[in-house]
Amino acid sequence: MDRSACQTAGVSSGDAAHSFRFEGVSLDRTGSDGGVLRVLDDVSTEWSLGGPQCVVGPSGSGKSTLLRLCNRLDVPTGGRVLFDGEDVATLDPLVLRRRVGMVFQRVTLFAGTVAANFAVARPDVTAEEGAAALRRVDLPSNLLDRPAGELSGGEGQRVCLARTLLTDPEVVLMDEVTSSLDTASRHEIEHLAHDLTHQGIGVVWVTHDLAQAQRLASSITVVRSGKVLDDDDARRYLRQATAHGTGTDHDWHHDQPGEGG
């Protein structure tokens, strides 16, 4: 849904360099009672990544699962996912995950220095490349030798992003990456996401924060109960969720609690 359709997402700025298309995608999991739980139900939609693509919806709606399908961290039960016209099921998962990097909600750093963390992603990374990666995410190059455990939450998340960028991804998937950060750190990472799109790197961003989606997105997809809403239902959802409270959609509705975003 574009901002021209709703005051929450904008017409893409420039031609899209990369795209994802979902064709009749369904995904089933085994529920806690042993039964089959449908997480995604016949999803067909397309994302053209000329600017940040945001995905919003209640907890458990399937939005994070939709994101994980993009680099085969999850595999659909039915249908297919295409990246730049190629079925991701035909691509080597390791190669795909370098082309389509991911930054998670939890800051995931390994023991050792920041430089050691960079070497996990790029064993051949030089000190100069590591310093440049830090500068790219607005961190000083002297952090390279700092133990990762001494970083603040905002610094740690930016180091995770820098580590992902060292593999030269074409797209970066961001799953609730700012949900535990302070306001200043959130805005810094939002700014970095815009910078990436200006560099031709696609960004897909899952968030519960509707105000953040309004600031960030060139297009918004709304997911509820495993389905992507059409424009009319998406507008209605966003109006209701925004009017209900604080600008997030955590509190007013949950889909399939405990099954993930």
Side-chain angles (χ1 to χ4, degrees), residues 165-227:
L165 294 175
L166 278 168
T167 66
D168 294 322
E170 299 164 35
V171 173
V172 177
L173 311 174
M174 298 189 176
D175 191 5
E176 298 278 10
V177 294
T178 63
S179 61
S180 62
L181 303 182
D182 60 44
T183 299
S185 295
R186 283 199 302 273
H187 289 170
E188 287 168 357
I189 292 179
E190 290 169 17
H191 178 74
L192 290 171
H194 275 295
D195 283 349
L196 293 179
T197 63
H198 295 153
Q199 297 164 25
I201 299 172
V203 171
V204 184
W205 183 295
V206 165
T207 182
H208 280 97
D209 187 337
L210 301 181
Q212 180 178 68
Q214 291 170 350
R215 290 192 301 270
L216 184 65
S218 65
S219 184
I220 291 179
T221 294
V222 180
V223 183
R224 280 197 68 179
S225 301
K227 292 181 177 291

Side-chain angles (χ1 to χ4, degrees), residues 6-192:
C6 178
Q7 295 300 315
T8 54
V11 176
S12 175
S13 57
D15 294 332
H18 301 288
S19 67
F20 285 99
R21 187 164 76 248
F22 302 84
E23 297 181 345
V25 171
S26 298
L27 189 143
D28 297 333
R29 298 196 197 282
T30 302
S32 56
D33 61 356
V36 175
L37 179 70
R38 177 140 291 194
V39 180
L40 293 173
D41 187 11
D42 194 24
V43 169
S44 294
T45 192
E46 184 165 5
W47 298 336
S48 295
L49 304 180
Q53 167 72 52
C54 281
V55 185
V56 302
S59 296
S61 62
K63 57 188 183 296
S64 291
T65 301
L66 199 61
L67 193 72
R68 291 167 62 89
L69 290 172
C70 293
N71 67 353
R72 294 185 64 184
L73 290 177
D74 277 326
V75 177
T77 306
R80 62 181 190 158
V81 181
L82 293 91
F83 173 50
D84 288 351
E86 295 182 277
D87 187 340
V88 299
T90 68
L91 303 176
D92 182 305
L94 296 180
V95 174
L96 176 63
R97 288 168 194 159
R98 286 185 172 269
R99 294 178 64 193
V100 182
M102 190 163 186
V103 183
F104 299 91
Q105 176 177 2
R106 185 187 297 272
V107 175
T108 308
L109 294 170
F110 304 100
T113 63
V114 169
N117 272 266
F118 286 172
V120 172
R122 273 269 314 279
D124 62 344
V125 66
T126 66
E128 291 77 14
E129 289 171 325
L134 287 173
R135 290 193 296 271
R136 191 174 182 185
V137 296
D138 294 331
L139 288 173
S141 57
N142 61 12
L143 284 186
L144 207 56
D145 295 323
R146 182 178 296 183
E150 295 181 3
L151 301 176
S152 69
E155 288 172 336
Q157 196 62 287
R158 280 185 281 171
V159 166
C160 289
L161 177 56
R163 184 178 62 196
T164 297
L165 294 175
L166 278 168
T167 66
D168 294 322
E170 299 164 35
V171 173
V172 177
L173 311 174
M174 298 189 176
D175 191 5
E176 298 278 10
V177 294
T178 63
S179 61
S180 62
L181 303 182
D182 60 44
T183 299
S185 295
R186 283 199 302 273
H187 289 170
E188 287 168 357
I189 292 179
E190 290 169 17
H191 178 74
L192 290 171

